[in-house]
C-alpha cells in the first residue's frame, strides 16, 4: 500500500538551484504540490473501480468484492488494461499524424516537409512489400503512408509491422491469440472488455492488454519511428549539451516540449532563418537559442543536436529561470500548471495541436499545408517577447553528450555501408566481453527522487559490462550526469570498454524518444537472428528497465516488451500491487505464456541485482562463457590505433581473440 513518505526531490544540481528559488518566491511546482498531496493509496494500488455508477468501489480491508461482485483481480487487471489502452492510443495517434504528413508530402499538400531520407523510404517499402522500381519517391511514400494508415482501421489479419519480429515470436502471438489485428481495434476492445459487466477473467483481460500493447510497439510506435526517419532523416551521431544551463542569458530562448517531430522540425528550420535572426538582433538579443524538453527534445536532439534543457520534471523549472521567451508544446506529458505559471513571467506558452489546448496558453495551430510559416510566426512572437524579459536565474549547470544512434547506424558502425551487421556485438556477448544488454527508458515521477534511480542503474550496469541503450526522459537523465559523454567509457567495465572503443560506440547509447523504443525491438530482433544468442528475444541476455515510470505510455511500452519476450523491471510503485493474482499473472504467468515478465521493485539496487541475475541466467541457458569481470581489458589502449588500420575481418579477429589474427 502506498504510504505518504518523504522523498528527496531531485539529485540534479540545476533543478535544486531553481527549486530553491521557487521556494523563496513561493512559486508552486510539481514538487511542492506533490509534497502537499499524497497519492490516493487505493487508486495507486489498482484497487479502485469506477467503471460504473454503482461504485466507485474501493476494494480494501474486508471489501473483497465490488457491488457487482467484481473481484480485486478483475478490478486491478481492468485498471491495468485501461492504462495500456491509453498508452497505445497516445503513441499510435502520434504515428497516425505522421502518416498523414507523409501522404501530404506525397500529394504536394504538406508545404515545408520533404522526404529527407530516401534510403530509409526504400528500406521501409522493402519490408512492407511495396514496389520501388521505376517509381518516384513520392509514389512510394504515398504507398508507405497509406499502408501505415491502414493499420489503424484494419479489422482482421495482422498488423503489418509485426512481420518484423522473428518467425518464432510471430507464432507465439498467433498461437496465443495475441497477434494484433488493427491498432484502433485493439484499443477499442480493451475499452469494451473493461466496461461494466464484460470480461471478468483477469488473465483474459491481461491477454488483450498484451495484444493492444503489441499494436503499439510493433505498430503505432514502429511506424511513427519509420516515418519520422523518412521525413526528417535517420539519426547519426551528434554532439550536444544537456540541462537548464543550455538556456542563454543573451539570446531569445525557445523551448519545444511534447512529442511530435512535425512541429519541432519546422521550428528548427525557422530558428535558422537569417531574417528572423536579424529580427532577434534588432530586439537586442544575440541570436535565437532553441532547446527541448521531454521527447520532442529527443527528436530534435537526435537529428540536429538541439540541446535538451531537461526532462519531464524540469518543464516548470525552465520557465522559473525567467529566461524563456516561448515554450511551444504539442501533445503528451505537458503539465497544466504551465498555463498558470507563465502568468507570472514574460514567457508565452503556445499550444499548437487541435488535440491539446491549455488555459493560459496562446493557441497557434500548426498549419497542415504550410507548417513552416506557422513555425516562423511562433519564433517571431518569441522574439517580440525578448524585450519584456526581467531578471534571469539560469543555473550554470550543463553536461556534454553524444546522441543520435539508430538501428541503421549501429549496423553501419559494425561493418560499413555494405556489410553492416550485429556480428561484432553478438560475438562480444558470446565471448563475455559484454555481459548483456539493457534498455533503460521512461519517465520522471515526482513520487521518487528525480533522476536518482535512472542514473544509478545506468552506472552500475555499465560498470558490470552491460551495454545500455536509453530513450525518453531516462536518456536526458543519462545525459545530465555525463553518461552520454565519451568520458563515460572510463566508467565501463574493462570488457565493455574494449568493445566500445573498437566499434566506436559509447557504453550508453541514446536511441531516441519513447516511440523510438521500437528501435530497441528492431535491435533485439536482429541480435536474436544474427546468430550465437539463441533464436528470439526471450533467449537474449537482456533486460528492459523503466526506473521512474509515470505515464500510461510507459505501461504500454513495458507490456509490449514483455509480450516480445523481454524481462521488464519497473521502479516506483506497482499499479497492481493490491492484487496478488495480477502480480503473479504479469510475472510468472506472462513468462510461461510469452517468455517475458513484468515486475516492480521500489529500490533501484534490487533492479540492478535482478537484471544481472537474469542476464547471467540467460547466458547459462545459451551455454555462453561464464562472465568474469577481469578477464578482458589487458590489451591496452595503445593498440587502438593499430586496430583502426586493420581490415574488418582482422579487426574483429583481433578484438575477439580469434587466434589467426591476434596482434
Ligand atoms: Fe513523458 Fe516521452 Fe515519460 Fe518523458 S519518458 S515523461 S512519457 S516524455 Ni516517454
Ligand atoms: Fe463497483 Fe462493479 Fe461498478 Fe466497478 S463495475 S464500480 S466494481 S459495481
Amino acid at each position: 500500500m502506498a504510504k505518504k513518505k518523504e522523498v528527496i526531490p531531485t539529485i540534479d544540481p540545476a533543478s535544486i538551484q531553481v527549486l530553491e528559488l521557487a521556494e523563496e518566491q513561493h512559486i508552486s511546482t510539481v514538487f511542492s504540490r506533490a509534497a502537499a498531496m499524497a497519492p490516493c493509496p487505493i487508486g495507486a494500488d489498482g484497487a479502485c473501480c469506477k467503471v460504473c455508477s454503482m461504485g466507485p468501489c474501493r476494494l480494501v480491508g474486508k471489501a473483497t468484492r465490488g457491488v457487482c461482485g467484481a473481484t480485486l483481480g478483475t478490478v486491478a487487471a481492468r485498471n491495468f488494461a485501461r492504462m495500456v489502452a491509453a498508452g497505445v492510443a497516445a503513441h499510435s495517434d502520434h504515428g497516425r499524424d505522421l502518416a498523414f504528413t507523409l501522404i501530404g508530402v506525397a500529394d504536394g499538400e504538406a508545404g515545408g516537409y520533404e522526404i529527407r531520407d530516401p534510403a530509409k523510404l526504400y528500406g521501409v517499402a522493402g519490408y512492407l512489400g511495396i514496389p520501388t522500381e521505376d517509381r518516384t519517391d513520392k509514389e512510394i511514400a504515398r504507398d508507405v503512408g497509406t499502408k501505415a494508415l491502414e493499420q489503424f482501421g484494419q479489422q482482421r489479419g495482422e498488423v503489418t509491422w509485426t512481420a518484423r519480429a522473428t518467425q518464432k515470436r510471430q507464432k507465439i502471438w498467433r498461437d496465443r491469440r495475441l497477434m494484433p489485428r488493427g491498432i484502433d481495434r485493439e484499443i477499442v476492445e480493451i475499452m469494451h472488455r473493461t466496461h461494466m459487466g464484460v470480461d471478468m477473467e483477469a488473465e483474459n483481460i491481461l491477454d488483450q492488454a498484451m495484444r493492444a500493447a503489441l499494436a503499439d510497439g510493433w505498430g503505432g510506435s514502429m511506424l511513427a519511428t519509420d516515418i519520422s526517419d523518412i521525413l526528417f532523416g535517420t539519426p547519426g551521431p551528434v554532439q550536444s549539451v544537456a540541462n537548464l544551463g543550455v538556456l542563454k542569458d543573451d539570446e531569445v530562448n525557445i523551448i519545444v516540449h511534447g512529442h511530435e517531430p512535425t512541429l519541432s522540425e519546422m521550428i528548427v528550420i525557422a530558428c535558422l532563418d537569417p531574417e528572423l535572426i536579424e529580427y532577434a538582433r534588432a530586439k537586442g538579443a544575440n541570436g535565437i537559442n532553441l532547446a527541448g524538453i521531454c521527447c520532442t527534445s529527443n527528436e530534435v536532439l537526435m537529428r540536429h543536436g538541439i540541446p535538451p534543457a531537461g526532462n519531464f520534471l524540469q518543464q516548470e523549472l525552465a520557465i522559473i529561470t525567467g529566461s524563456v521567451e516561448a515554450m511551444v508544446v504539442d501533445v503528451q506529458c505537458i503539465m497544466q500548471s504551465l498555463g498558470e505559471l507563465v502568468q507570472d513571467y514574460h514567457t508565452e506558452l503556445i499550444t499548437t495541436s487541435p488535440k491539446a489546448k491549455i488555459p493560459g496558453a496562446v493557441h497557434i495551430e500548426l498549419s497542415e499545408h504550410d507548417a513552416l510559416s506557422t513555425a516562423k510566426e511562433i519564433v517571431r512572437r518569441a522574439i517580440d517577447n525578448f524585450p519584456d524579459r526581467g531578471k534571469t536565474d539560469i543555473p550554470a549547470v550543463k553536461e556534454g553528450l553524444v546522441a543520435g544512434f539508430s538501428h541503421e547506424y549501429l549496423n553501419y558502425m559494425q561493418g560499413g555501408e555494405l556489410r553492416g551487421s550485429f556480428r561484432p556485438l553478438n560475438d562480444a556477448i558470446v565471448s563475455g566481453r559484454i555481459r548483456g544488454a539493457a534498455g533503460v527508458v521512461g519517465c520522471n515521477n515526482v513520487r521518487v527522487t528525480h533522476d536518482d534511480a535512472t542514473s544509478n542503474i545506468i552506472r552500475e550496469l555499465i560498470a558490470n559490462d552491460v551495454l545500455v541503450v536509453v530513450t525518453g526522459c531516462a536518456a536526458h537523465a543519462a545525459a545530465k550526469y555525463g553518461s552520454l559523454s565519451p568520458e563515460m567509457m572510463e566508467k565501463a567495465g574493462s570488457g565493455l570498454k574494449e568493445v566500445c572503443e573498437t566499434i566506436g560506440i559509447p557504453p550508453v547509447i541514446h536511441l531516441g524518444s519513447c516511440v523510438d523504443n521500437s528501435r530497441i525491438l528492431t535491435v533485439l530482433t536482429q541480435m536474436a537472428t544474427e546468430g550465437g544468442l539463441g533464436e528470439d528475444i526471450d533467449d537474449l541476455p537482456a533486460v528492459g528497465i523503466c526506473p521512474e515510470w509515470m505515464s500510461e505510455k510507459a505501461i504500454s511500452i513495458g507490456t509490449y516488451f514483455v509480450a516480445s519476450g523481454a524481462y521488464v523491471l519497473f521502479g516506483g510503485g506497482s499499479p497492481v500491487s493490491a492484487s496478488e493474482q495480477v502480480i503473479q499473472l504479469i510475472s510468472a504467468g506472462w513468462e510461461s505464456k510469452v517468455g517475458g515478465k513484468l515486475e516492480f521493485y521500489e529500490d533501484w539496487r534490487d533492479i540492478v541485482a535482478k537484471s544481472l541475475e537474469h542476464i547471467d541466467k540467460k547466458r547459462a541457458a545459451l551455454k555462453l562463457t561464464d562472465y568474469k569481470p577481469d578477464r578482458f581489458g589487458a590489451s591496452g589502449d595503445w593498440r587502438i590505433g593499430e586496430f583502426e588500420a586493420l581490415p574488418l575481418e582482422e579487426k574483429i579477429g583481433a578484438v575477439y581473440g580469434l587466434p589467426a589474427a591476434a596482434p
Side-chain angles (χ1 to χ4, degrees):
M1 169 146 319
K3 281 182 240 47
K4 185 165 184 217
K5 50 182 184 209
E6 287 295 321
V7 173
I8 299 167
T10 177
I11 61 164
D12 174 11
S15 298
I16 291 172
Q17 215 172 304
V18 183
L19 280 174
E20 278 167 1
L21 185 73
E23 203 166 325
E24 262 168 44
Q25 301 180 353
H26 307 289
I27 299 164
S28 158
T29 65
V30 62
F31 293 93
S32 65
R33 292 187 299 272
M37 181 191 274
C40 165
I42 303 161
D45 296 353
C48 174
C49 182
K50 56 184 277 286
V51 304
C52 89
S53 84
M54 298 194 291
C57 299
R58 309 188 302 173
L59 276 64
V60 286
K62 288 200 188 101
T64 58
R65 287 197 168 21
V67 171
C68 67
T71 60
L72 193 49
T74 301
V75 168
R78 281 203 294 229
N79 286 330
F80 183 92
R82 285 191 167 208
M83 294 182 88
V84 170
V88 180
H91 282 146
S92 302
D93 212 31
H94 164 164
R96 184 193 329 252
D97 280 346
L98 283 162
F100 277 125
T101 304
L102 186 63
I103 293 171
V105 169
D107 292 343
E109 284 168 3
Y113 299 103
E114 57 187 338
I115 294 162
R116 275 198 223 146
D117 193 344
K120 178 92 181 202
L121 174 66
Y122 298 140
V124 174
Y127 66 69
L128 293 178
I130 292 167
T132 53
E133 217 161 296
D134 298 326
R135 302 185 77 203
T136 64
D137 286 359
K138 287 192 170 176
E139 284 167 344
I140 303 167
R142 188 179 298 110
D143 283 0
V144 169
T146 307
K147 190 73 173 172
L149 273 189
E150 280 168 13
Q151 309 304 309
F152 293 90
Q154 186 170 286
Q155 303 302 324
R156 292 201 182 88
E158 301 179 350
V159 167
T160 310
W161 267 258
T162 59
R164 304 205 70 201
T166 65
Q167 293 296 336
K168 194 176 158 195
R169 187 57 35 191
Q170 292 177 52
K171 184 167 185 313
I172 291 173
W173 294 337
R174 279 181 208 117
D175 291 350
R176 308 230 177 246
R177 288 214 283 185
L178 301 174
M179 182 61 95
R181 298 154 294 187
I183 299 168
D184 291 354
R185 177 168 184 188
E186 304 312 347
I187 299 167
V188 167
E189 192 166 314
I190 287 186
M191 298 314 285
H192 177 196
R193 287 207 210 183
T194 57
H195 181 276
M196 195 276 152
V198 186
D199 199 352
M200 280 160 259
E201 194 181 86
E203 185 179 348
N204 206 42
I205 295 168
L206 292 166
D207 278 356
Q208 179 57 21
M210 279 202 279
R211 177 149 61 175
L214 287 169
D216 175 355
W218 299 88
S221 280
M222 199 173 274
L223 68 86
T225 296
D226 278 348
I227 297 175
S228 298
D229 285 353
I230 293 169
L231 286 172
F232 311 121
T234 303
V238 287
Q239 285 195 328
S240 192
V241 274
N243 216 339
L244 292 168
V246 306
L247 296 170
K248 293 192 177 151
D249 249 326
D250 58 345
E251 293 189 16
V252 174
N253 290 311
I254 300 176
I255 289 186
V256 281
H257 168 26
H259 278 79
E260 298 181 349
T262 26
L263 159 78
S264 49
E265 282 287 327
M266 287 300 123
I267 304 261
V268 171
I269 299 173
C271 286
L272 295 171
D273 185 296
E275 255 173 59
L276 285 170
I277 295 172
E278 204 35 60
Y279 187 56
R281 293 234 161 84
K283 295 276 176 180
N286 275 338
I288 307 169
N289 179 42
L290 184 63
I293 297 237
C294 280
C295 280
T296 296
S297 172
N298 286 318
E299 299 283 356
V300 288
L301 167 65
M302 297 288 285
R303 297 192 177 89
H304 308 285
I306 302 296
N311 44 15
F312 173 70
L313 284 178
Q314 291 175 283
Q315 53 188 287
E316 297 167 321
L317 307 185
I319 289 168
I320 297 173
T321 67
S323 69
V324 179
E325 273 60 55
M327 184 176 272
V328 192
V329 303
D330 50 23
V331 290
Q332 301 168 21
C333 301
I334 302 148
M335 292 190 201
Q336 180 162 358
S337 62
L338 297 179
E340 239 179 280
L341 184 62
V342 293
Q343 305 310 319
D344 295 332
Y345 295 86
H346 78 302
T347 309
E348 194 152 59
L349 179 67
I350 301 174
T351 50
T352 56
S353 163
K355 294 173 198 166
K357 294 193 175 183
I358 306 174
V362 184
H363 188 72
I364 304 179
E365 214 155 287
L366 191 70
S367 159
E368 276 172 45
H369 306 295
D370 192 3
L372 186 55
S373 52
T374 317
K376 284 186 182 168
E377 183 191 339
I378 289 171
V379 172
R380 186 173 286 272
R381 280 185 82 110
I383 297 169
D384 284 334
N385 236 346
F386 182 77
D388 297 334
R389 193 195 270 190
K391 185 177 170 302
T392 61
D393 289 281
I394 303 171
V397 181
K398 58 183 172 186
E399 192 60 61
L401 68 102
V402 177
F405 294 91
S406 55
H407 170 241
E408 289 81 354
Y409 192 79
L410 292 175
N411 260 299
Y412 172 74
M413 285 305 288
Q414 301 179 73
E417 197 81 56
L418 299 172
R419 283 183 297 182
S421 80
F422 267 61
R423 199 67 252 166
L425 260 188
N426 271 33
D427 285 347
I429 293 175
V430 170
S431 72
R433 274 193 166 77
I434 295 181
R435 187 172 183 174
V440 181
V441 309
C443 319
N444 308 146
N445 183 333
V446 75
R447 300 298 178 190
V448 298
T449 303
H450 174 220
D451 291 343
D452 183 43
T454 305
S455 61
N456 278 308
I457 289 170
I458 291 170
R459 277 166 185 265
E460 284 292 316
L461 289 176
I462 63 167
N464 279 283
D465 292 293
V466 175
L467 179 69
V468 173
V469 299
V470 291
T471 60
C473 288
H476 294 150
K480 288 191 286 169
Y481 309 97
S483 286
L484 300 183
S485 73
E487 290 78 46
M488 200 30 75
M489 207 76 100
E490 297 311 315
K491 301 276 194 296
S494 50
L496 175 62
K497 185 176 161 212
E498 259 186 30
V499 179
C500 289
E501 283 177 338
T502 311
I503 303 180
I505 52 169
V508 183
I509 300 173
H510 190 341
L511 278 181
S513 64
C514 293
V515 296
D516 291 336
N517 281 314
S518 60
R519 295 192 202 276
I520 304 181
L521 293 176
T522 327
V523 166
L524 292 175
T525 300
Q526 189 173 348
M527 286 171 72
T529 49
E530 184 85 44
L533 295 177
E535 327 181 301
D536 197 5
I537 293 178
D538 60 345
D539 296 325
L540 297 173
V543 293
I545 303 172
C546 186
E548 303 170 40
W549 80 279
M550 169 280 298
S551 79
E552 294 166 313
K553 291 178 287 174
I555 294 294
S556 171
I557 293 166
T559 303
Y560 74 64
F561 270 102
V562 170
S564 304
Y567 178 24
V568 176
L569 304 101
F570 271 47
S574 159
V576 297
S577 60
S579 166
E580 202 45 52
Q581 184 197 3
V582 174
I583 292 171
Q584 284 306 316
L585 280 169
I586 62 174
S587 53
W590 276 356
E591 190 171 33
S592 64
K593 207 170 257 192
V594 292
K597 57 181 171 174
L598 180 58
E599 290 175 354
F600 292 81
Y601 294 98
E602 286 195 18
D603 191 334
W604 63 263
R605 292 164 196 85
D606 293 335
I607 293 181
V608 171
K610 286 276 168 192
S611 297
L612 294 176
E613 192 186 299
H614 179 79
I615 284 170
D616 290 343
K617 193 179 91 189
K618 291 293 176 186
R619 292 188 65 86
L622 287 166
K623 303 200 168 43
L624 305 182
T625 334
D626 280 346
Y627 163 77
K628 289 213 179 62
D630 40 19
R631 183 181 292 147
F632 300 105
S635 58
D637 286 358
W638 59 273
R639 280 190 174 155
I640 292 298
E642 273 180 48
F643 282 139
E644 232 77 287
L646 292 173
L648 179 74
E649 289 86 338
E650 282 184 54
K651 195 186 258 180
I652 295 171
V655 176
Y656 301 107
L658 305 176

